[in-house]
Amino acid sequence: MKACYKKYILDFKTPSGTSRGILRKKETWFLIVRDNDRSGIGECGLLKGLSVDDVPEYEAKLQWVCDHIQEGKDWLWEQLSEFPSIQFGVEQLFLSLSAKDPFLLFPSDFTEKESPISINGLVWMGKERFMHDQIQQKIAEGFGCIKMKIGAIDFETEYGLLEGIRGKYGAAEIELRVDANGAFTPEDAIHKLERLSKLDIHSIEQPIKKGQFDKMELLCKETPLPIALDEELIGVFSVTEKESLLRRIRPQYIILKPSLVGGFKGSLEWIELAEKHGISWWVTSALESNVGLSAIAQWTYTLKNKLPQGLGTGSLYTNNFESPLEVTDGAIWYRKSRQWEKNIISNLCT
């Protein structure tokens, strides 16, 4: 059994704004393994500036995985606790290697019967006109749940955009989620949450920056609007630490990005603890290529979570890999009539 790794740069079709800046390119890494006539692939979805494993020795750790590939998935996963995106890549890699189809990791009605997963339509930050056009496009595309990133332009303009949606569509017609990516200050957060709650917003992700535990605990206790922790989960490795965080902050929701929290196993640890403490959850991609996105979507379907998931990022890039994934009618589908791009594995690691 031999393994190799490869960096791949994904190019955004349109520069996409977050409170951390404008995204034009996305660096991702692939692990490839060959064992006689079988092969497997896994994506390590590193997010620059956000992933806890965005460190100088990242590439060296990928080489270390390749050098120790014979040790197997479970041993490698345990050794990679501080590299959650590589943990995720390793999980995919071994599932891919053992599958009849290296891209079919979790056969289910999603892959076999084209049963869809409901997802939110994502509206990126930008100038008012740009955001307004995105909102109209998502509604026209049939999304019943829209997630709008806020914090890049002034709050009053963003509030006006949300108010405009609510003026035309009630909460029963369009579910609105907002993602602040930590853009609010602890001092102004509660006032802004009170304003947003008047618009029947479903939830707000990470209103203040991570690591302000006392302030986030107080916000979750006093908020008129459900709070979802996202970045707050990054870098929390042990089950004991995870439970301590949930017990202390007691959010209404947590959001799971497998690339950022240790793959499927790490996500399942969070899910088990959240359900133990009466906290709801959903799954979101972290701007992976269609290789990682497909793995996340297939796994997510098996969880039977009825909330709209955050899995609509596959169409962001000009050079993504062709795949059976399709986003239409407010859902993601695995179309049996569509094929994976030929020779992905051999082209990535020759």
Side-chain angles (χ1 to χ4, degrees), residues 316-341:
L316 293 174
Y317 306 115
T318 61
N319 59 338
N320 208 341
F321 305 104
E322 294 178 12
S323 79
L325 297 176
E326 178 181 285
V327 172
T328 186
D329 298 328
I332 188 168
W333 310 70
Y334 197 91
R335 299 297 194 190
K336 299 183 74 173
S337 61
R338 298 175 58 170
Q339 302 298 314
W340 279 95
E341 186 172 322

Side-chain angles (χ1 to χ4, degrees), residues 1-4 32-35 66 69-70:
M1 186 160 54
K2 294 183 178 180
C4 62
I32 309 290
V33 66
R34 290 190 177 90
D35 188 9
C66 295
I69 200 67
Q70 301 284 355

Side-chain angles (χ1 to χ4, degrees), residues 139-327:
I139 292 172
E141 290 172 351
F143 283 96
C145 176
I146 293 175
K147 170 183 164 180
M148 191 170 109
K149 287 185 173 289
I150 60 176
I153 57 179
D154 68 279
F155 179 75
E156 291 304 323
T157 299
E158 292 168 338
Y159 187 88
L161 288 166
L162 291 164
E163 193 174 35
I165 300 175
R166 231 354 131 235
K168 296 178 181 178
Y169 304 94
E173 297 172 282
I174 297 290
E175 179 179 288
L176 289 176
R177 298 173 176 174
V178 294
D179 182 2
N181 286 130
F184 297 168
T185 67
E187 292 72 30
D188 68 12
I190 194 67
H191 170 69
K192 290 180 177 178
L193 294 183
E194 289 170 350
R195 292 277 308 281
L196 290 168
S197 70
K198 296 175 182 177
L199 300 178
D200 290 319
I201 303 296
H202 172 269
S203 56
I204 181 168
E205 297 179 31
Q206 204 70 41
I208 63 174
K209 286 183 171 60
K210 63 174 290 188
Q212 303 178 84
F213 300 117
D214 290 342
K215 294 180 173 64
M216 186 67 87
E217 177 186 358
L218 184 62
L219 265 185
C220 288
K221 182 178 180 180
E222 297 184 348
T223 182
L225 173 64
I227 290 174
L229 297 189
D230 182 3
E231 288 93 339
E232 205 74 61
L233 311 185
I234 298 172
V236 184
F237 300 127
S238 74
V239 173
T240 301
E241 290 174 317
K242 291 174 181 178
E243 182 155 31
S244 177
L245 183 146
L246 294 181
R247 279 181 179 275
R248 179 175 181 179
I249 298 180
R250 297 195 174 277
Q252 287 73 39
Y253 294 98
I254 60 171
I255 298 172
L256 302 160
K257 292 182 170 73
S259 289
L260 301 184
V261 298
F264 304 128
K265 184 177 179 180
S267 297
L268 287 172
E269 289 175 351
W270 279 112
I271 289 171
E272 182 178 345
L273 292 169
E275 293 182 343
K276 175 182 174 181
H277 293 286
I279 298 166
S280 299
W281 54 272
W282 68 84
V283 176
T284 301
S285 57
L287 304 181
E288 297 85 0
S289 78
N290 279 335
V291 174
L293 177 60
S294 177
I296 295 170
Q298 291 178 44
W299 171 73
T300 299
Y301 185 87
T302 68
L303 304 177
K304 304 300 181 185
N305 185 308
K306 299 301 182 183
L307 292 173
Q309 309 296 302
L311 304 175
T313 56
S315 62
L316 293 174
Y317 306 115
T318 61
N319 59 338
N320 208 341
F321 305 104
E322 294 178 12
S323 79
L325 297 176
E326 178 181 285
V327 172

